[in-house]
Amino acid sequence: MAIRPDLAGGTVRVAPLPRPLASEYAARWSELSERWAARPGSVLGTLGPAGTSSDLVARYLAAEHNLRVELHDTFDDVLDGLLLRKLDFALVPSAYAGLTRFHWHRDLRLRAFFPRATPEYGIAATAHSRLPTGDGPVSVAAMWEVRRIYAEVVPTTLRGRDVDWVDASSTQHAAQIVARGGAQLAVTNAPGVTAYGLRWMATRPGAEILWTLFDHTEEPGTDDPPDRPRTAGRQP
């Protein structure tokens, strides 16, 4: 039992961690790697389409551990797929606003976590367009989670102008919206710029974020058939 000073001048007994955090991290990955080795082809679900930061990290894991990746339109779909046991694991970035739905679901557990950097992000437009002129609103396609990047890197000529946000479900969807004329600018990543023939107006380096891996609390059993329907809206 550890002892530390109290603000009032006394002492407080603090229960130690079950094991050092580094050991916990290593133990989780060792257990997970052994499970993947024993079950090659385990299905890992995350956000698509191809080229999202989630897809790139999932492909990295798949190549290292012989996994099969399934991409979904939204993380709600990933959650549903995991609960219905159509997926063995879900890969979710810590930057995702709805991550607590995975953390607090009684049928899921945090299996492991790790840091990995995203690709380059920034503001992009179609290949032959210029920065929007005038003083009216600028239409920008972006996921909610990366909207703040716009204010961080926006060119000086656009600062102070109102933004009409166009909701996108992924970085690739944002790039697609601009390519199809649905917005003037996109907050997207480098694969999105390449895939949709856009060009950068402003960029920033990728960010190192934590990636989380979730699986089921229990293995399928006779008391809980794996095909029993469940929904993403089920509360913890």
Side-chain angles (χ1 to χ4, degrees):
M1 184 74 70
I3 297 177
R4 64 170 173 78
D6 187 15
L7 293 178
T11 59
V12 176
R13 294 184 179 276
V14 181
L17 290 172
R19 66 180 80 176
L21 289 177
S23 296
E24 172 73 14
Y25 174 87
R28 287 182 182 228
W29 270 105
S30 177
E31 179 185 355
L32 185 56
S33 296
E34 290 174 3
R35 180 175 174 184
W36 282 340
R39 302 179 184 179
S42 292
V43 183
L44 176 65
T46 195
L47 182 69
T52 62
S53 298
S54 298
D55 169 57
L56 298 179
V57 174
R59 299 292 173 188
Y60 164 76
L61 289 177
E64 291 288 319
H65 298 282
N66 196 17
L67 307 177
R68 183 161 62 88
V69 175
E70 285 193 4
L71 301 178
H72 295 261
D73 292 337
T74 68
F75 278 115
D76 281 346
D77 293 337
V78 175
L79 179 55
D80 276 333
L82 187 60
L83 293 174
L84 289 168
R85 295 187 182 272
K86 295 178 180 179
L87 303 173
D88 298 308
F89 298 89
L91 174 70
V92 189
S94 59
Y96 170 53
L99 181 59
T100 53
R101 301 182 70 189
F102 288 82
H103 277 299
W104 286 103
H105 202 291
R106 62 189 174 197
D107 294 331
L108 303 180
R109 63 177 170 179
L110 176 65
R111 168 65 77 163
F113 52 90
F114 59 97
R116 191 165 180 82
T118 69
E120 184 178 31
Y121 270 71
I123 301 170
T126 55
H128 303 293
S129 64
R130 299 178 180 272
L131 288 174
T133 58
D135 55 6
V138 181
S139 59
V140 182
M143 296 177 67
W144 185 89
E145 288 84 354
V146 300
R147 286 184 180 183
R148 66 177 302 160
I149 292 176
Y150 179 84
E152 177 186 337
V153 303
V154 63
T156 304
T157 56
L158 296 181
R159 288 178 186 169
R161 290 178 62 175
D162 291 337
V163 176
D164 286 338
W165 292 106
V166 179
D167 290 334
S169 59
S170 68
T171 51
Q172 307 309 292
H173 185 213
Q176 181 186 65
I177 289 171
V178 168
R180 293 181 175 179
Q184 294 167 290
L185 302 172
V187 178
T188 187
N189 64 7
V193 169
T194 299
Y196 290 95
L198 306 183
R199 70 185 183 99
W200 288 122
M201 297 296 178
T203 62
R204 58 145 292 162
E208 187 175 52
I209 62 175
L210 283 177
W211 296 85
T212 60
L213 283 159
F214 289 87
D215 67 356
H216 310 101
T217 304
E218 302 292 343
E219 292 294 318
T222 55
D223 295 333
D224 189 14
D227 58 350
R228 185 180 74 181
R230 301 179 185 178
T231 66
R234 184 175 177 183
Q235 297 300 308

